[in-house]
Amino acid sequence: MTDMPSSSDVLFLLLGACMVLAMHAGFAFLEVGTVRAKNQVNALVKIITDFAASTVAYFTIGHLIAYGSGFFVSAQSLSADHGYGLVKFFFLLTFAAAIPAIISGGIAERARFYPQFTATLLLVGLAYPVFEGIVWNDNWQLQDWLTRTFGHPFHDFAGSVVVHGFGGWVALMAVLALGARRGRYPRHGAVAAHPPSSIPFLALGAWTLTVGWFGFNVMSAQTLDGISGLVAVNSLMAMVGGILAAMALGRNDPGFIHNGPLAGLVAVCAGSDLMHPIGALATGAVAGALFVSLFTLTQNRWRIDDVLGVWPLHGICGAWGGIAAGLFGQSWLGGLGGVSLAAQLVGTLGGIVLAVVAGGIVYGGMKRLVGIRLSEEQEFEGADLALHRISATPNRD
């Protein structure tokens, strides 16, 4: 055996990259099904153009910040080891591009198009790679410090905190900067419902994300030699736990039920390679309960108009996933061990702080400089006609 990547490793990681790429269709249709009909085209356009922006930003500077290596060398150098480095970039890019895809759902129906496009360039090119590099490349030796202090580094196998938590907390700052949708919270204190436009599209998005998530988690091993059936079954069990908890607490609401598996999968990413399947089931169930409870609180009591509930789903469940890895990864709870709860708490809190600072700077700065919200007239008309000049359901003679 050799430590050099093989052609099989390249194919393995390429399949994983394609599965996570397909998850972006899931993000798109989850948003399409949740927003009102007059904003469906905008949801589709945002996801695909933000992916393009993410690719350019991550290729030119983001990967260099995170891992210290860029791509402005000869094609001969890039094709070494069957082009494994390029395919690894593709795989990691699909993770990075999840940041704006997460944010998109929170700011739906009232965000201007090009400021969000610019925010994607800044977040994926500059902000996200800083945290990614700290956790997955030991930049600035912070992981070494955690190891010396707590006995183990911060463990996030597939991105509960690095990807989902970071994206969710940035999204919260974007939602707060934008404010609520027009008419969502009338002055007399009531909450005006904006029901989903299409439960079938919402469900399609949830299923697409769920299936692709097995590439997100299992292929995070990045080589065939590192693949583990434990990661796959833990992902399955957390998904099921999320569904059951959302079904019970959400009173059979289809929106909650179809977000339940996503909550469980967000939470299990960090410790999916460590937990016992029963621990993963518990992790997913807690995540599903957290999503339903906090979605209701944010929307109805705190009046935070997070359209898809991306802060509860990704920000809170992602943070829970980082902590859960430190709990259910312990050998005395059936896990494989080699993880510190204290390190998990510090790493999770650090990710939240970085995300809040980055989100505040990017969205707060652009709000002051160029504005980030549609006009009242554009919002009333809908982003589809106001920005793209076409409706998802045009009138026909």
Side-chain angles (χ1 to χ4, degrees):
M1 295 293 293
T2 175
D3 291 330
M4 299 298 291
S6 67
S7 56
S8 298
D9 292 330
V10 173
L11 178 60
F12 172 75
L13 202 53
L14 176 60
L15 292 174
C18 291
M19 289 181 72
V20 184
L21 176 61
M23 290 177 69
H24 289 266
F27 281 118
F29 278 96
L30 189 70
E31 185 173 337
V32 166
T34 304
V35 299
R36 289 169 289 180
K38 62 183 180 179
N39 296 296
Q40 290 180 323
V41 171
N42 181 244
L44 294 169
V45 172
K46 278 191 302 176
I47 298 297
I48 198 167
T49 54
D50 279 346
F51 188 88
S54 298
T55 302
V56 172
Y58 197 68
F59 183 86
T60 55
I61 189 169
H63 190 273
L64 178 64
I65 292 173
Y67 300 101
S69 61
F71 301 98
F72 294 98
V73 296
S74 68
Q76 183 177 4
S77 299
L78 294 174
S79 61
D81 300 324
H82 307 282
Y84 179 82
L86 289 175
V87 175
K88 184 176 179 181
F89 153 77
F90 181 15
F91 183 70
L92 293 170
L93 160 68
T94 58
F95 281 53
I99 302 299
I102 290 167
I103 296 167
S104 177
I107 65 175
E109 301 200 314
R110 76 273 202 203
R112 291 178 60 199
F113 184 77
Y114 284 108
Q116 173 56 23
F117 187 86
T118 303
T120 295
L121 292 171
L122 294 172
L123 291 167
V124 177
L126 299 173
Y128 165 75
V130 171
F131 188 49
E132 178 189 19
I134 289 171
V135 177
W136 288 340
N137 198 48
D138 194 22
N139 290 352
W140 299 310
Q141 289 75 55
L142 292 178
Q143 289 281 44
D144 288 343
W145 176 80
L146 287 172
T147 302
R148 291 193 303 270
T149 305
F150 302 113
H152 298 284
F154 175 63
H155 184 88
D156 192 350
F157 179 69
S160 284
V161 182
V162 173
V163 179
H164 299 285
F166 191 89
W169 284 90
V170 171
L172 176 63
M173 302 309 294
V175 168
L176 293 175
L178 275 168
R181 286 168 290 176
R182 181 180 179 274
R184 180 71 168 120
Y185 302 113
R187 292 181 182 177
H188 56 76
V191 178
H194 291 340
S197 59
S198 173
I199 294 297
F201 275 153
L202 187 158
L204 174 64
W207 271 109
T208 304
L209 282 164
T210 297
V211 173
W213 224 297
F214 287 85
F216 196 99
N217 284 359
V218 175
M219 270 75 163
S220 285
Q222 300 189 13
T223 62
L224 266 175
D225 188 55
I227 194 171
S228 171
L230 182 65
V231 176
V233 173
N234 281 344
S235 300
L236 174 69
M237 297 301 282
M239 164 192 141
V240 169
I243 294 170
L244 295 176
M247 179 184 70
L249 295 180
R251 300 180 180 180
N252 300 329
D253 181 282
F256 284 141
I257 289 173
H258 283 93
N259 276 282
L262 309 184
L265 285 161
V266 164
V268 83
C269 287
S272 57
D273 62 327
L274 297 176
M275 298 177 182
H276 187 280
I278 296 175
L281 180 67
T283 297
V286 171
L290 284 171
F291 172 71
V292 173
S293 301
L294 283 167
F295 181 90
T296 304
L297 280 173
T298 54
Q299 297 287 334
N300 298 338
R301 181 171 298 179
W302 299 338
R303 295 174 173 252
I304 298 173
D305 193 14
D306 178 353
V307 180
L308 269 68
V310 297
W311 176 65
L313 182 64
H314 298 275
I316 295 298
C317 293
W320 158 241
I323 297 167
L327 287 171
F328 294 108
Q330 301 289 342
S331 57
W332 62 274
L333 282 174
L336 297 181
V339 65
S340 162
L341 178 58
Q344 295 304 112
L345 288 167
V346 171
T348 299
L349 180 60
I352 291 172
V353 170
L354 283 173
V356 167
V357 170
I361 291 173
V362 170
Y363 286 99
M366 287 202 306
K367 181 179 181 179
R368 290 175 177 272
L369 293 173
V370 298
I372 56 176
R373 181 161 181 155
L374 296 175
S375 68
E376 284 193 18
E377 182 180 353
Q378 289 175 318
E379 188 178 342
F380 179 80
E381 183 182 24
D384 292 357
L385 293 176
L387 299 179
H388 310 293
R389 303 293 185 265
I390 192 168
S391 168
T393 54
N395 294 324
R396 300 183 183 276
D397 296 330

